[in-house]
Amino acid sequence: MRAGMAVLTVDAAGMRAQNSGLLLNMIWRERQISRAEIARRTELSPSTVSAIVADLELAGLVRSIGAGVSRGGRRPTLIGFCDEAFSLVGVELGASHVTVVLTDLRGRVRTQSKASHAVRGDPEGSLQKAKELIQECLDAERVPRRSVVGMGVAVPSPVHPASPGKMSPLILPAWKNVDVKEWFETTFDMPVFVDNDANLGALSECFWGAGSGGEDLTYIKLATGIGAGHIIHGDVYRGAGGTAGEIGHIAVDSNGPLCVCGLRGCLVTLIGSTALTERARELMGARGRKGPTVRDLVEGARAGDPAAKQIIDGMGAWLGIAVGGLLNLLNPAIVVLGGEISSVGELLLDPLRASVRQRALSVSMAETRIVTSALGERAIAVGAATLVLQAALRDRSLFPQQNVGRTA
Amino acid sequence: MRAGMAVLTVDAAGMRAQNSGLLLNMIWRERQISRAEIARRTELSPSTVSAIVADLELAGLVRSIGAGVSRGGRRPTLIGFCDEAFSLVGVELGASHVTVVLTDLRGRVRTQSKASHAVRGDPEGSLQKAKELIQECLDAERVPRRSVVGMGVAVPSPVHPASPGKMSPLILPAWKNVDVKEWFETTFDMPVFVDNDANLGALSECFWGAGSGGEDLTYIKLATGIGAGHIIHGDVYRGAGGTAGEIGHIAVDSNGPLCVCGLRGCLVTLIGSTALTERARELMGARGRKGPTVRDLVEGARAGDPAAKQIIDGMGAWLGIAVGGLLNLLNPAIVVLGGEISSVGELLLDPLRASVRQRALSVSMAETRIVTSALGERAIAVGAATLVLQAALRDRSLFPQQNVGRTA
DNA sequence: TGACTTTGTTCTTACGGCGAAGAAATCAAA
DNA sequence: TTTGATTTCTTCGCCGTAAGAACAAAGTCA
């Protein structure tokens, strides 16, 4: 019954793998730390720590970075993580664009490239476009294939844990016959990890944003679609069928408009980008021929335009219904709002918090921080790259072997 | 950032602990299995398996139970778990009663005792009552203190992970100065685990009920209060502040009645026992002087009383709003309904499923089984005992040492 | 009956962590 | 400056655990 079968047996080699993984994580997290300090914290013996650090050094993952301050005796040698030793590729297949980033092991973007593309209906073209952009990034930095750990791909569809390359036939029917994971794997010959965009936004926030403390967190992506991703115990939570976080199709208004999903009054029909810009066209008038965009809305609200503020207020109220339910059901430590519209910051957070306060227990409300993302528009693509980093920090063997097979 | 610090370092002893824990779990799960089969499944060497089994046998946790069927050679010796080797105590502090069960390591109840008591306002009396009942159970079976692994306690309050003995001052203000965990620990001198009642109902279902497959599951306790418990990755999920699963205070009707929690239209004000019986009094008329009870409602519905059925239908509709949100947000594999009213079975499930269908994505809906509990009224107390079992199966050292310290 | 299979044990080997001892580096106080 | 204490890190031998080979025991099947 218990899912705990994940725990595998250990032999001598497994013991080393486990301990060295622990050390690698500690060094990554602390940025710089001495052997002695590691020994104190892990309760591993100094000799063992030294041996493992030597291992990691040989693998090119950590290195000495000078001496630290003395604690009354010999000064410690600080060990640091080699952030630049390997690269990560992050791909975002958005609704209308493809973004690619190349990052180091600290989530810093070394190159990025982006192109508009109608991803929804054109799998072949989108993948081809992605391939070009990836190649572009790799070439720009002259990154050899050997130094890339792997590739993360964010897709605008739920991903079933059992078949991570397959898109949902309801959300992306045109992608029915494509296996994204397989395609990238065969095209680039490296490990590929695929996940839903909101999940990767959440991961991004967990590693580099509001949730860097490691607490449980929910990220809400406010865009054409509305999706949420949960981080639970430091890991993306996907649910039994991969559809956890489909907050956009929570029905918040039983008299609301009909949604493409077949339900009525879904959150997305009320506060999705389309609904917002339509509302803006009504209240703010047409800008040029195409009507106001989300960007116009953001700028309007920031400039104090009452119509824009009214729209944002309404959005906060609707969103609060869903977030209130979220707090009561899941009680995350942090809720992060992402997506272009979230850049209005407090203008959205104020009405949202007010709405939540009417719908969530004061306890869970008081303990939950609700914030907007500070990671910008690359958050999702970086999150995709982070998925690879997370996997590699868990399983050292994912890092490509550099110094191939020399026996000391 | 990552919560992964939970992983501890390993030395030779830890290696043995890990492997023997794995074996213990496998034997518990499989009920009977041969050494050879264990070796095949775990990929441990036969010699290692033999050594570990000998260990476990010495500890009194497993024993040989005869020969199995041959696979074309010598017949295997089947190893079985000693279900009766130790006992578990489960305590449920309900809103209006205290229940105690004494179970074996397979969740079978050996003794139980129950007493009505106004737990809410009387901490001292409740604890004293619990003490008596526990003593009663232990005496009834002549169970020596030594053979009890520990005690689980279910409380009608959220429990903060950081202070598991403290009740929520909002829900149980009278219990402000009591530390339940500490009290039981000092009174009975054994390990004590405290958790919220709905969480323990969920654990009960995960181990002994609908979720025995180990999938993610949400249990909803339908009683005076409405609470939910989540099992995620085989473990109770409590949220950042311990209030995950407070589904009773999801606001499902913005025009609904005011709730004690300060919000309006909480689920509990619409389908809590009080609301149901009140509604029943209106529609079904008074039974005797006290008005119909939940039991009357169940019997009425089963007997085909249209008023009762109408009430249950309405309940399903309201509940469906919350469950719909739950499916979209968390996407559990199973939703289990518990509490007395759930014994109406399909009469509640039908309108509930219909309501959910209008509010959840068809994907998550299709993949989620929604069922009623089959564990009966002892589910929570047994869940409390199960909390101890779960802990001990994870950390063998929690089982009391029987054959104290003889070096072979 | 005899060849083959499967099970489970025994014994040796290898590996990894531990602890003690020691060397090196630094501080602090004489 | 010297001396002793402290901290860091390495070296080396020990020990516990798992692996593997060899073997005995107990079956099956023709």
Side-chain angles (χ1 to χ4, degrees):
Chain A
M1 40 109 308
R2 305 180 44 231
M5 274 311 293
V7 184
L8 285 178
T9 54
V10 195
D11 57 2
M15 186 157 86
R16 182 51 154 263
Q18 197 160 320
N19 288 338
S20 81
L22 196 75
L23 255 68
L24 186 64
N25 272 277
M26 184 170 283
I27 297 170
W28 186 86
R29 230 177 42 242
E30 300 296 329
R31 292 193 147 88
Q32 50 181 46
I33 186 169
S34 70
R35 292 176 179 82
E37 182 63 24
I38 293 175
R40 274 190 296 270
R41 294 206 202 168
T42 58
E43 296 186 306
L44 249 40
S45 71
S47 46
T48 303
V49 172
S50 279
I52 293 179
V53 167
D55 260 18
L56 295 173
E57 206 160 3
L58 208 82
L61 288 166
V62 307
R63 65 167 191 277
S64 294
I65 49 169
V69 295
S70 165
R71 301 189 345 146
R74 173 173 164 182
R75 296 168 63 193
T77 317
L78 295 179
I79 309 296
F81 194 88
C82 295
D83 294 342
E84 333 256 318
F86 299 100
S87 300
L88 308 164
V89 174
V91 180
E92 179 189 7
L93 300 176
S96 57
H97 61 96
V98 178
T99 305
V100 172
V101 296
L102 186 74
T103 79
D104 66 8
L105 300 178
R106 193 63 65 181
R108 283 179 295 235
V109 175
R110 298 172 58 172
T111 332
Q112 65 176 328
S113 47
K114 181 176 171 177
S116 292
H117 193 90
V119 168
R120 219 183 177 68
D122 176 21
E124 288 78 15
S126 310
L127 293 175
Q128 206 52 47
K129 188 48 105 181
K131 182 180 172 184
E132 287 166 25
L133 295 178
I134 294 167
Q135 204 56 62
E136 209 173 278
C137 282
L138 291 176
D139 292 348
E141 290 279 320
R142 304 216 193 308
V143 172
R145 210 48 83 77
R146 305 298 306 257
S147 80
V148 179
V149 182
M151 190 176 287
V153 183
V155 295
S157 154
V159 166
H160 196 293
S163 55
K166 292 296 204 176
M167 303 297 100
S168 158
L170 279 108
I171 312 275
L172 292 179
W175 289 67
K176 200 175 61 169
N177 297 315
V178 188
D179 188 307
V180 174
K181 180 166 148 66
E182 213 174 275
W183 190 88
F184 279 105
E185 264 166 359
T186 57
T187 306
F188 286 95
D189 189 33
M190 55 174 73
V192 174
F193 302 83
V194 179
D195 208 336
N196 169 264
D197 50 7
N199 286 348
L200 294 175
L203 192 65
S204 218
E205 290 293 336
C206 174
F207 268 73
W208 323 113
S212 308
E215 302 134 304
D216 293 347
L217 150 170
T218 295
Y219 171 89
I220 303 180
K221 184 188 173 217
L222 302 167
T224 313
I226 310 281
H230 307 296
I231 302 291
I232 288 181
H233 299 328
D235 225 336
V236 172
Y237 180 67
R238 301 179 176 84
T243 68
E246 279 302 328
I247 199 174
H249 297 280
I250 283 191
V252 292
D253 178 8
S254 47
N255 303 316
L258 204 65
C259 175
V260 289
C261 75
L263 307 181
R264 194 169 275 287
C266 289
L267 196 59
V268 67
T269 63
L270 298 166
I271 67 165
S273 298
T274 314
L276 292 183
T277 50
E278 230 158 69
R279 192 98 209 288
R281 186 204 298 266
E282 290 168 22
L283 295 182
M284 299 168 66
R287 311 262 158 141
R289 283 185 47 227
K290 306 184 64 176
T293 61
V294 170
R295 173 177 294 271
D296 295 327
L297 193 55
V298 171
E299 285 169 2
R302 281 213 182 119
D305 177 338
K309 289 186 70 171
Q310 185 187 335
I311 294 172
I312 305 279
D313 281 354
M315 179 180 189
W318 284 123
L319 186 56
I321 298 180
V323 173
L326 168 70
L327 295 204
N328 282 342
L329 271 178
L330 257 184
N331 183 220
I334 315 174
V335 174
V336 187
L337 305 183
E340 192 176 4
I341 192 79
S342 73
S343 58
V344 296
E346 296 297 323
L347 293 173
L348 173 59
L349 290 175
D350 280 341
L352 171 63
R353 293 200 185 105
S355 171
V356 170
R357 206 165 292 126
Q358 286 173 32
R359 287 178 181 82
L361 280 186
S362 47
V363 216
S364 34
M365 176 66 202
E367 289 207 355
T368 308
R369 304 202 301 279
I370 305 182
V371 300
T372 49
S373 172
L375 296 180
E377 61 167 357
R378 297 182 309 200
I380 308 278
V382 171
T386 307
L387 195 58
V388 183
L389 174 63
Q390 187 187 39
L393 283 178
R394 238 165 238 185
D395 175 7
R396 213 187 106 182
S397 71
L398 276 172
F399 287 112
Q401 304 282 70
Q402 302 214 105
N403 317 17
V404 193
R406 223 30 287 118
T407 54
Chain B
M1 42 109 308
R2 303 182 48 235
M5 273 312 293
V7 184
L8 285 178
T9 55
V10 195
D11 57 1
M15 187 157 87
R16 183 51 153 263
Q18 199 160 319
N19 288 337
S20 79
L22 197 74
L23 254 67
L24 186 63
N25 273 276
M26 185 171 283
I27 297 171
W28 185 86
R29 230 178 43 243
E30 300 296 329
R31 292 189 144 89
Q32 49 181 48
I33 187 169
S34 70
R35 293 176 177 82
E37 182 62 24
I38 293 175
R40 276 190 295 271
R41 293 205 202 169
T42 59
E43 295 185 309
L44 250 38
S45 71
S47 47
T48 303
V49 173
S50 279
I52 293 179
V53 167
D55 260 20
L56 295 173
E57 207 161 2
L58 208 81
L61 288 167
V62 307
R63 66 168 191 277
S64 295
I65 48 169
V69 295
S70 163
R71 302 192 339 152
R74 173 174 164 182
R75 296 167 62 194
T77 317
L78 295 180
I79 309 295
F81 194 88
C82 295
D83 294 342
E84 332 258 318
F86 299 101
S87 300
L88 308 165
V89 175
V91 180
E92 179 189 7
L93 299 175
S96 56
H97 61 96
V98 178
T99 305
V100 172
V101 296
L102 185 75
T103 78
D104 66 8
L105 301 178
R106 193 63 65 180
R108 281 180 296 236
V109 175
R110 297 171 58 173
T111 332
Q112 66 175 329
S113 48
K114 182 176 171 177
S116 291
H117 193 92
V119 168
R120 217 182 179 69
D122 176 23
E124 288 78 14
S126 310
L127 293 175
Q128 206 53 47
K129 186 49 101 181
K131 181 179 172 183
E132 288 165 25
L133 295 177
I134 293 168
Q135 202 54 238
E136 208 173 280
C137 282
L138 291 176
D139 293 347
E141 290 279 321
R142 306 214 193 306
V143 171
R145 211 45 86 75
R146 306 295 307 256
S147 80
V148 178
V149 182
M151 191 176 286
V153 183
V155 294
S157 154
V159 166
H160 197 293
S163 56
K166 292 296 204 175
M167 305 297 99
S168 159
L170 278 108
I171 313 275
L172 293 178
W175 290 66
K176 201 176 59 170
N177 297 317
V178 187
D179 187 307
V180 173
K181 181 167 147 68
E182 215 173 273
W183 190 89
F184 280 106
E185 264 166 359
T186 57
T187 306
F188 286 95
D189 188 34
M190 54 175 74
V192 174
F193 303 83
V194 179
D195 208 338
N196 169 264
D197 52 7
N199 286 347
L200 293 175
L203 191 65
S204 219
E205 290 293 337
C206 174
F207 268 73
W208 322 113
S212 307
E215 302 135 302
D216 292 347
L217 148 171
T218 295
Y219 171 89
I220 303 180
K221 183 188 172 216
L222 302 168
T224 313
I226 311 280
H230 308 296
I231 302 291
I232 288 180
H233 299 327
D235 226 334
V236 172
Y237 180 66
R238 302 180 175 82
T243 68
E246 281 300 329
I247 199 174
H249 298 279
I250 284 192
V252 291
D253 178 8
S254 47
N255 302 318
L258 204 63
C259 175
V260 288
C261 76
L263 307 181
R264 193 169 277 287
C266 289
L267 196 58
V268 67
T269 63
L270 299 166
I271 66 164
S273 298
T274 314
L276 292 183
T277 49
E278 230 158 67
R279 193 95 208 288
R281 185 204 299 264
E282 289 168 23
L283 295 182
M284 298 167 67
R287 311 261 157 142
R289 285 186 46 227
K290 306 184 64 176
T293 61
V294 170
R295 173 176 294 270
D296 295 328
L297 194 55
V298 171
E299 286 170 2
R302 282 213 182 119
D305 178 338
K309 289 186 70 172
Q310 186 186 336
I311 294 173
I312 304 281
D313 281 353
M315 178 178 189
W318 283 124
L319 186 56
I321 298 180
V323 173
L326 168 71
L327 296 203
N328 282 342
L329 272 178
L330 257 184
N331 184 219
I334 314 174
V335 174
V336 187
L337 304 183
E340 192 177 3
I341 190 79
S342 73
S343 57
V344 296
E346 295 297 323
L347 293 174
L348 173 59
L349 290 173
D350 280 341
L352 171 62
R353 293 201 185 105
S355 171
V356 169
R357 205 166 292 126
Q358 285 173 32
R359 286 178 181 82
L361 279 185
S362 46
V363 215
S364 34
M365 177 65 203
E367 289 207 354
T368 308
R369 304 202 303 279
I370 305 183
V371 300
T372 48
S373 172
L375 296 180
E377 62 168 355
R378 299 182 307 200
I380 308 280
V382 171
T386 307
L387 195 58
V388 183
L389 174 63
Q390 186 188 39
L393 284 178
R394 236 164 241 184
D395 175 7
R396 215 188 104 184
S397 70
L398 275 172
F399 287 112
Q401 303 282 73
Q402 303 215 103
N403 318 21
V404 193
R406 223 28 289 115
T407 54

